[in-house]
Amino acid sequence: MAPLVLLDLDGTLMDSAPGITASVAHAFTALGLPVPDAATLRSFVGPPITDSLPAHGVPPERLAEAVGAYRAEFRATGMWDNAVFAGIPEQLARLRAAGCELAVATSKPEVFAVPIAERFGLSALVDGVFGAPLDEQATKADVIAKALAALGRTPADGPAPGLGRVLMVGDREHDVVGARAHDIGCLGVSWGYAHPGELEAAGALAVVDDVAALENAVLSLV
């Protein structure tokens, strides 16, 4: 069974912070709430928006309104204010040439993740793009379970032997935690949006600092 590498999208394959942070700022403004500072806005990249908004001052009774404002702006402009990190396409191509199966596993709703991956040329470099439902009521572990089941690594109704060699690659602690729920190790990448020491504290197997070193780091762990 070929090694399977699950790849986070935001902060791992793509620099999506500009569009996400602008859409979050728009949502706070639309609700008449103080817009968080730049560092706080950056922390919205990665986790589900339904977790981040209430964690940073949106009252529970206004969460649906805030999510609606965010998504309207994100659909209109934010999702395209995005770029693949330099060198990522080449690294993915090298991993596939080395015999790895690749898939995107992201907390971003799949209805956004799929067209983004297509628009920016990532779909042709991976074997599937898997994301959260639109209501984002799914953990990273849930998204990973969906990817594993779709790729034939485990039955859809629960864990089972036969995963083969599987590795998660991500830039935030929830990537590490979600992978661990399936007894999968996680390689952290430092060019994303984690706070200093976040990935190490979460238990990442290693942290790679340079996109050009990604292939070798992955192959050393699978």
Side-chain angles (χ1 to χ4, degrees):
M1 187 176 291
L4 170 61
V5 183
L6 301 174
L7 301 140
D8 179 49
L9 186 63
D10 298 332
T12 300
L13 302 180
M14 304 194 74
D15 181 9
S16 51
I20 291 174
T21 57
S23 299
V24 171
H26 170 83
F28 276 88
T29 299
L31 269 65
L33 298 173
V35 176
D37 61 29
T40 302
L41 287 174
R42 192 173 175 85
S43 74
F44 278 74
V45 185
I49 194 71
T50 49
D51 291 343
S52 298
L53 286 169
H56 295 288
V58 174
E61 66 274 13
R62 302 194 72 188
L63 179 58
E65 182 185 358
V67 170
Y70 167 82
R71 289 213 175 120
E73 183 70 9
F74 188 73
R75 284 181 186 274
T77 60
M79 64 189 293
W80 310 124
D81 190 1
N82 207 340
V84 177
F85 286 114
I88 284 293
E90 292 79 5
Q91 292 296 302
L92 297 183
R94 289 170 66 92
L95 285 168
R96 290 189 91 174
C100 293
E101 186 174 13
L102 307 179
V104 172
T106 174
S107 294
K108 184 186 293 297
E110 195 168 293
V111 294
F112 298 137
V114 170
I116 288 171
E118 290 174 351
R119 169 79 69 91
F120 290 92
L122 293 174
S123 295
L125 299 172
V126 299
D127 301 290
V129 177
F130 303 94
L134 189 57
D135 64 9
E136 300 190 45
Q137 296 304 300
T139 66
K140 193 58 176 265
D142 294 331
V143 174
I144 291 172
K146 180 181 181 180
L148 293 174
L151 296 169
R153 299 291 176 134
T154 186
D157 58 354
L163 287 177
R165 292 173 291 167
V166 183
L167 180 71
M168 181 73 208
V169 180
D171 72 307
R172 297 298 306 273
E173 63 183 353
H174 65 281
D175 297 309
V176 183
V177 173
R180 186 185 302 127
H182 299 279
D183 295 321
I184 295 169
C186 183
L187 171 66
V189 302
S190 67
W191 54 80
Y193 310 118
H195 303 298
E198 176 182 326
L199 290 161
E200 294 85 349
L205 298 176
V207 178
V208 60
D209 296 320
D210 184 356
V211 172
L214 181 61
E215 178 204 8
N216 287 339
V218 167
L219 295 179
S220 72
L221 293 172
V222 296

